[in-house]
Amino acid sequence: MWRGATPWLFLLAPLTLLIVFTYAPIANMVAYSFTDWDGVSPELRYTGTENYAELFTRSELFEVFWVSGYYLVASVVQIVAALYFATILSFNVRFRNFFKGVLFFPYLINGVAIGFVFLYFFQDGGTLDSVLSLFGVETDRAWLGTPESANTSLAAVSVWRYLGLNFVLFLGAIQSIPGELYEAAELDGANRWQQFRHIIAPGIKPVLSLTVILSISGSLSVFEIPYIMTGGATGTETFVIQTVKLAFQFNKTGLASAAAVVLLLIVLAVTWVQRRLAPDDKVDLV
């Protein structure tokens, strides 16, 4: 009896934490979405589906999803760059450990610090303008002054920050491929591109699928970088920033909870579609 109960005893602590800090808050959020709670009052008034009706009848609440398009494009750039560097550094190149640390280091930095650093980087006469002036490029544009340039700049910051995460995932997947396959390919005269196409690409397909899911869901739920750098101003407001403002600035916690539930359902739906379009296949390279 004790032998059968031992695994559950080890799982007791993490399952308790998971339920208390993940599933219980989600359940509360769903419950709040059917009320008009302001986040302060001890009384909750049940309003049914009024919050959801208001969400879907106010088109401006969903127009902010257009901003996610910038981050979606940035995710593509991020995945391609991470895959490129992971492939290069998986081979025996000089200073590869140094470059691994350089690429992964931005992911270890606190997001608030990154936001403030790049806020000074993009300000008028800041670091970016100073660097461009060294190459004879004079610019008087405000990088965070228009919706197009601001969203492009913020998306570029997200590429810089999260590149290291995808890089590590790809690098670990590539290094898990048996080395005998590379040796056999070299004996057959395969170059680096052919090795990537026929060995690396099929071997990392599950990890590539995972990074695509994370990138799409992350693009839909961007918050940290734009909230710190612009606060959602200049057309950079995302759905999550809008939800936070509904809850803490306008005291519409019930409506904000409904918005959060809708975002969760959208992310789950997109993930389901992606998994249906590109299901994981069993990879057998040996």
Side-chain angles (χ1 to χ4, degrees):
M1 181 184 66
W2 284 108
R3 182 177 299 178
T6 298
W8 295 103
L9 292 176
F10 280 105
L11 289 173
L12 182 61
L15 287 177
T16 301
L17 294 174
L18 182 65
I19 292 173
V20 171
F21 293 103
T22 301
Y23 293 115
I26 291 177
N28 285 332
M29 179 182 68
V30 174
Y32 293 149
S33 68
F34 295 101
T35 68
D36 63 349
W37 189 40
D38 59 2
V40 179
S41 175
E43 297 181 358
L44 302 179
R45 188 173 67 88
Y46 178 77
T47 59
T49 59
E50 288 184 9
N51 290 326
Y52 294 96
E54 182 176 356
L55 279 176
F56 289 103
T57 54
R58 293 174 57 183
S59 59
E60 67 273 11
L61 295 178
F62 288 92
E63 290 177 356
V64 293
F65 274 118
W66 289 107
V67 177
S68 299
Y70 289 90
Y71 297 94
L72 191 60
V73 174
S75 298
V76 176
V77 176
Q78 177 181 293
I79 291 175
V80 172
L83 183 56
Y84 172 79
F85 287 119
T87 303
I88 296 297
L89 296 178
S90 64
F91 296 106
N92 189 18
V93 297
R94 297 182 62 183
F95 306 112
R96 65 175 181 174
N97 289 330
F98 170 75
F99 289 113
K100 288 178 184 178
V102 169
L103 290 171
F104 186 66
F105 178 72
Y107 183 69
L108 301 177
I109 304 177
N110 182 271
V112 177
I114 290 176
F116 280 111
V117 167
F118 278 95
L119 187 60
Y120 291 107
F121 181 83
F122 287 115
Q123 71 177 359
D124 297 341
T127 306
L128 181 57
D129 289 340
S130 299
V131 172
L132 291 176
S133 64
L134 295 177
F135 295 93
V137 179
E138 298 294 337
T139 175
D140 57 352
R141 67 179 301 171
W143 297 101
L144 302 178
T146 63
E148 292 77 13
S149 62
N151 284 308
T152 302
S153 301
L154 297 178
V157 174
S158 69
V159 171
W160 181 83
R161 186 190 180 191
Y162 293 105
L163 176 66
L165 175 61
N166 288 335
F167 165 74
V168 169
L169 292 175
F170 287 138
L171 185 64
I174 293 174
Q175 291 181 343
S176 67
I177 299 175
E180 294 82 0
L181 296 177
Y182 297 107
E183 296 175 2
E186 291 178 357
L187 291 175
D188 290 337
N191 55 31
R192 296 301 190 193
W193 164 248
Q194 291 171 331
Q195 292 179 29
F196 172 81
R197 179 181 177 184
H198 298 287
I199 298 177
I200 295 177
I204 66 172
K205 185 178 178 180
V207 176
L208 181 60
S209 177
L210 172 64
T211 57
V212 171
I213 292 175
L214 294 176
S215 298
I216 294 176
S217 61
S219 300
L220 295 173
S221 56
V222 177
F223 171 72
E224 197 173 40
I225 297 299
Y227 186 77
I228 295 169
M229 294 183 63
T230 64
T234 326
T236 61
E237 186 174 66
T238 64
F239 194 81
V240 178
I241 293 178
Q242 178 180 259
T243 302
V244 171
K245 287 184 176 181
L246 286 174
F248 299 104
Q249 183 174 341
F250 300 105
N251 294 329
K252 295 184 178 180
T253 304
L255 182 61
S257 299
V261 172
V262 170
L263 178 60
L264 176 61
L265 294 176
I266 291 175
V267 171
L268 291 177
V270 171
T271 303
W272 181 81
V273 171
Q274 192 274 336
R275 299 289 290 179
R276 297 289 294 179
L277 295 177
D280 282 342
D281 297 328
K282 181 177 176 59
V283 178
D284 188 7
L285 296 175
V286 294

